[in-house]
Amino acid sequence: MRCVVANWKMNLASGEAKSFCEDLLVHMGPEPESEVGIAPPYTLLHLVSSLVRTKGLRVFGQNGHAEAKGAFTGEISMPQLRDAGCSGVILGHSERRQFFGETDAALAKKIKAAWQWDLLPLLCIGESLAQRDADQTLAVLGQQLSILAETGPGPLWVAYEPVWAIGTGRRAEAAQVLEAHAFIRAELNRLLPETGSQVPILYGGSVTPESFPELLGIPEVAGGLVGGASLDPGKFAELVKQAG
Ligand code: PEP
């Protein structure tokens, strides 16, 4: 199964989101074979969900708190995401780790909370440029995945997103993607012996319709998590078509 997820980050307002969804559904044609998701900002969750969920698309939150409710100003909880129409939640995006101090310990709790509220976690992992240059890529990925020893098995997608490739126009090379995805698969199999082989591993980092076909040909690449190119309904529909 292939998966393509749009991460809108902190972009678009309601009028733009509405016309995006309408355009996307026209461009995409009949229901795609692959799993397609959109992760809008929180204020657009209800709207996007009402427009695309009947068409079989998933809606993801871009983050979610581990607690179900309480005094956490500015946060959003898993049951609130569920209530707004989400069936999944992106967790551990590098922008959350980098700018908002997201830790692996917090992520383990968030994954368990997502499961409790029947949300599919899309766990993002990836190395910084300094870590790659210091030959620490696989060690970093191993560390970020090690939280799965604590969470145990459950519905899960993983996205490999080298931090230096996000929003930079500098996509990882095929050999780098191949090595990282093979390592992630081996770690998933080791940490989750019953279910690890079933977890789709998406690639993220400057994916475009020009680069996606090559990426999809790399073993263990099950699809893409897409930022910049997902803000254009035509481009995103093209990625969905390429995924099949
Ligand atoms: C992302 O934000 O997850 C991402 C991959 O962004 P971009 O496609 O713009 O690199």
Side-chain angles (χ1 to χ4, degrees):
M1 176 200 49
R2 292 230 173 108
C3 321
V4 190
V5 178
N7 177 11
W8 286 356
K9 311 192 187 192
M10 199 172 70
N11 293 296
L12 306 190
S14 55
E16 297 163 308
K18 184 167 182 288
S19 50
F20 177 104
C21 293
E22 288 164 354
D23 278 12
L24 175 67
L25 294 173
V26 170
H27 280 110
M28 241 173 45
E31 276 194 24
E33 304 251 313
S34 45
E35 288 255 25
V36 181
I38 301 179
Y42 305 133
T43 52
L44 302 176
L45 287 173
H46 267 294
L47 172 70
V48 171
S49 159
S50 69
L51 292 168
V52 304
R53 276 201 75 177
T54 53
K55 307 288 174 192
L57 274 65
R58 286 179 175 275
V59 178
F60 286 78
Q62 295 179 13
N63 180 34
H65 200 279
E67 296 296 329
K69 61 179 176 177
F72 301 103
T73 302
E75 289 289 318
I76 191 161
S77 72
M78 303 296 175
Q80 288 170 327
L81 292 176
R82 186 84 221 170
D83 182 54
C86 292
S87 64
V89 57
I90 296 176
L91 293 176
H93 191 282
S94 66
E95 288 152 15
R96 299 289 323 164
R97 294 177 189 260
Q98 207 179 338
F99 305 131
F100 302 98
E102 189 97 287
T103 63
D104 287 326
L107 286 166
K109 292 193 182 123
K110 289 179 177 208
I111 289 175
K112 288 195 236 174
W115 287 338
Q116 198 183 338
W117 293 97
D118 205 17
L119 292 167
L120 170 71
L122 169 47
L123 175 66
C124 302
I125 58 174
E127 82 287 359
S128 67
L129 190 55
Q131 289 164 333
R132 176 162 283 277
D133 288 345
D135 222 3
Q136 290 169 350
T137 298
L138 301 187
V140 169
L141 298 180
Q143 170 62 36
Q144 292 172 334
L145 284 171
S146 68
I147 58 170
L148 300 175
E150 188 188 328
T151 64
L156 180 69
W157 293 359
V158 169
Y160 169 57
E161 298 206 301
V163 178
W164 46 272
I166 297 179
T168 59
R170 184 183 162 196
R171 204 208 80 194
E173 287 163 23
Q176 295 170 322
V177 178
L178 179 72
E179 182 191 38
H181 280 238
F183 175 78
I184 294 166
R185 173 63 66 215
E187 283 297 280
L188 289 170
N189 288 342
R190 187 178 68 77
L191 291 160
L192 305 171
E194 306 283 311
T195 57
S197 65
Q198 306 304 316
V199 175
I201 309 170
L202 286 63
Y203 167 81
S206 298
V207 170
T208 62
E210 288 69 44
S211 63
F212 203 36
E214 186 198 358
L215 287 161
L216 288 172
I218 298 171
E220 301 296 357
V221 173
L225 177 55
V226 189
S230 79
L231 293 171
D232 177 324
K235 280 190 189 164
F236 188 63
E238 183 59 30
L239 295 171
V240 171
K241 280 192 194 142
Q242 290 171 343

